[in-house]
Amino acid sequence: MQDKAELAGNGTPFHTASSAEMRTTWWYAWDKYIVPDVYTSMPRELAAIRNAVAMIDMSPLPKMELRGPDAHRLVDRLMTRDMTRLDVDHVMYTPWCNRDGLLVGDGLVFRLAEDWFIVSGETSHAWFASQAADLQVEIRNASDDYGILSLQGPRAFDLMQAATGHDWSSLKFSQIGRAAIAGHDILVARQGFTGELGFELWVPRAAGAAVWKELHSVGQPFGVMPAGEYAVDVARIEVGLILVSADYNGAGPDPRTARIDITDDLNITPIEAGLGRLIDFGSDFVGKQALQAAAAATEPGRRFVGLQYDASEIVSAAVEKSAYGTALSRVYWGSMPAFHAGKPVGRASSLTFSPTLKRAISFGFLPAGLSSPGTKVDVELKDDEGAGIGLVSATVVSLPFIEIRRSKG
């Protein structure tokens, strides 16, 4: 096994193939890796996600492997959903919390055998280990074992059939299959982070370049295009998907994989994150009592909403502060104060320009009384250094901003 320094120098399993497609100098630092942020242009890559099919390198996602006779007990103890319903060769999206009900992370739980799980999401190895002292389970960092190649878009089924000779229409959302591409065995999950039809391909490290090249070649008739992290970030906001570090800070003890400043005041519960539907109070899990108290509170916490802006107002405010180079230049990861009638009432995050909607959008965390569509608030813009630029108006809208189509077909 290569050490971390060596792996970082070599890039992700797809790096030698994917880097040949780069036409910009925009790279994104993710944990110990550097991955493409923009290959050609963000709007073109987002259009491929929405209208054709995109190839996306998601390999730096942390992956924790749980094995042993008590692996299932640990998963059910930690996750807010009823994990007894997770069958072999299925995937479930779920949050996990600390004893105060605050989000430690959220992500996908893959069940590959009766006693074998992989959790893909913000790294929580230390947190999981702290809750497993009485269990027979091995917790292993499997982040560097696999490359994750995400195929996203309405032509993803066509590309997979052309690459494998197999009809994938019977694989339903959140199910797992197997395939051979370029002579290599891979794991195929109906999943993704864009809201579109698609797959996550879990590829052995040594097979990464060969699989990428084969899919890129076979996918030409379907309009395949590599898409960088910028396009994926915009895509997930358009369909209302929250992201650790961008929209909240994990409350666990593990180091973060995103290179941002961590502040405890961005710790939130799944209820505040719009994930209340994923809490099964019929199960017994870490943080249950705190979340029951939060759900029963007479004064509910903040609600997770969409916010819509006039992009020209944002640009004008930035120009006045000589910050025009940062306004809507990427997704703003961080917290921006929100005001109503001059008083602070919440915050906004993940501000971006959506080429799909041709509008500026973001998420908001606002009191229940200000969470109805049509409500007006003011948001304090910030530059890349976190300094205030000025106030702009925003309108509350329903989430998702656009239709989620990933489970269709």
Side-chain angles (χ1 to χ4, degrees):
M1 176 68 71
Q2 294 166 291
D3 64 26
K4 289 187 175 182
E6 210 176 351
L7 287 166
N10 291 339
T12 75
F14 308 109
H15 178 76
T16 56
S18 63
S19 60
E21 304 299 325
M22 285 289 287
R23 300 294 181 268
T24 77
T25 58
W26 286 31
W27 294 84
Y28 178 75
W30 185 354
D31 196 17
K32 62 180 176 286
Y33 292 105
I34 300 293
V35 292
D37 201 37
V38 179
Y39 287 88
T40 54
S41 79
M42 183 275 285
R44 286 186 61 199
E45 293 163 25
L46 181 64
I49 293 171
R50 297 288 179 230
N51 305 313
V53 58
M55 299 171 58
I56 305 160
D57 186 354
M58 302 294 289
S59 302
L61 271 172
K63 311 166 193 70
M64 293 168 289
E65 182 180 72
L66 314 180
R67 281 185 184 255
D70 290 333
H72 198 188
R73 287 183 60 193
L74 178 60
V75 168
D76 202 40
R77 173 183 294 181
L78 290 170
M79 308 306 173
T80 64
R81 300 185 70 177
D82 179 6
M83 304 307 288
T84 63
R85 298 188 294 108
L86 181 61
D87 295 327
V88 173
D89 284 343
H90 285 70
V91 187
M92 189 179 287
Y93 170 70
T94 180
W96 51 94
C97 301
N98 66 11
R99 297 195 178 280
D100 296 324
L102 298 174
L103 277 167
V104 173
D106 67 292
L108 299 177
V109 180
F110 295 72
R111 189 173 193 182
L112 303 179
E114 289 296 324
D115 60 353
W116 181 16
F117 297 80
I118 294 181
V119 181
S120 175
E122 181 64 16
T123 184
S124 299
H125 190 281
W127 172 247
F128 282 24
S130 73
Q131 304 302 306
D134 60 329
L135 301 178
Q136 296 183 57
V137 57
E138 178 187 0
I139 306 171
R140 190 180 70 85
N141 185 348
S143 297
D144 297 324
D145 293 1
Y146 308 91
I148 300 179
L149 176 49
S150 187
L151 302 179
Q152 299 289 298
R155 304 301 301 273
F157 278 92
D158 298 325
L159 174 51
M160 279 296 290
Q161 181 167 350
T164 65
H166 176 67
D167 181 2
W168 290 87
S169 60
S170 62
L171 190 73
K172 302 305 180 184
F173 184 68
S174 287
Q175 289 183 338
I176 298 171
R178 273 82 177 168
I181 296 178
H184 298 279
D185 294 331
I186 62 171
L187 196 72
V188 180
R190 270 288 307 275
Q191 267 291 344
F193 202 49
T194 67
E196 295 294 341
L197 293 173
F199 304 88
E200 280 190 3
L201 310 184
W202 286 51
V203 181
R205 168 166 287 278
V211 171
W212 179 284
K213 290 176 182 177
E214 177 71 7
L215 289 167
H216 190 264
S217 175
V218 171
Q220 293 307 305
F222 313 116
V224 71
M225 177 181 291
E229 298 308 317
Y230 187 1
V232 176
D233 213 1
V234 175
R236 63 98 187 166
I237 296 166
E238 291 180 339
V239 293
L241 299 180
I242 197 167
L243 179 63
V244 65
S245 296
D247 304 306
Y248 75 93
N249 287 339
D254 295 84
R256 305 296 179 260
T257 57
R259 299 183 183 181
I260 62 165
D261 293 331
I262 303 299
T263 54
D264 290 341
D265 60 344
L266 298 186
N267 293 338
I268 60 176
T269 70
I271 298 171
E272 295 170 303
L275 302 176
R277 69 191 185 282
L278 303 181
I279 302 174
D280 190 331
F281 288 115
S283 299
D284 190 19
F285 58 87
V286 175
K288 176 181 177 179
Q289 290 183 335
L291 290 178
Q292 284 176 321
T298 54
E299 291 190 16
R302 292 171 179 168
R303 301 285 177 84
F304 181 57
V305 301
L307 293 175
Q308 191 168 277
Y309 307 74
D310 180 342
S312 63
E313 184 182 356
I314 292 176
V315 174
S316 295
V319 168
E320 289 183 9
K321 293 286 187 177
S322 296
Y324 52 86
T326 66
L328 301 178
S329 62
R330 204 192 182 280
V331 176
Y332 182 79
W333 279 32
S335 182
M336 299 174 291
F339 302 85
H340 183 73
K343 297 181 180 179
V345 292
R347 64 185 180 91
S349 64
S350 287
L351 173 66
T352 191
F353 183 79
S354 162
T356 306
L357 297 167
K358 296 181 173 57
R359 291 181 180 275
I361 58 175
S362 81
F363 295 144
F365 299 83
L366 299 174
L370 297 175
S371 64
S372 299
T375 301
K376 303 286 187 180
V377 296
D378 293 316
V379 173
E380 183 184 10
L381 294 177
K382 292 187 177 181
D383 64 17
D384 288 346
E385 301 296 324
I389 294 176
L391 292 178
V392 294
S393 60
T395 303
V396 175
V397 297
S398 298
L399 289 173
F401 294 101
I402 68 172
E403 181 186 10
I404 298 176
R405 299 181 286 200
R406 62 188 178 184
S407 61
K408 295 186 175 182

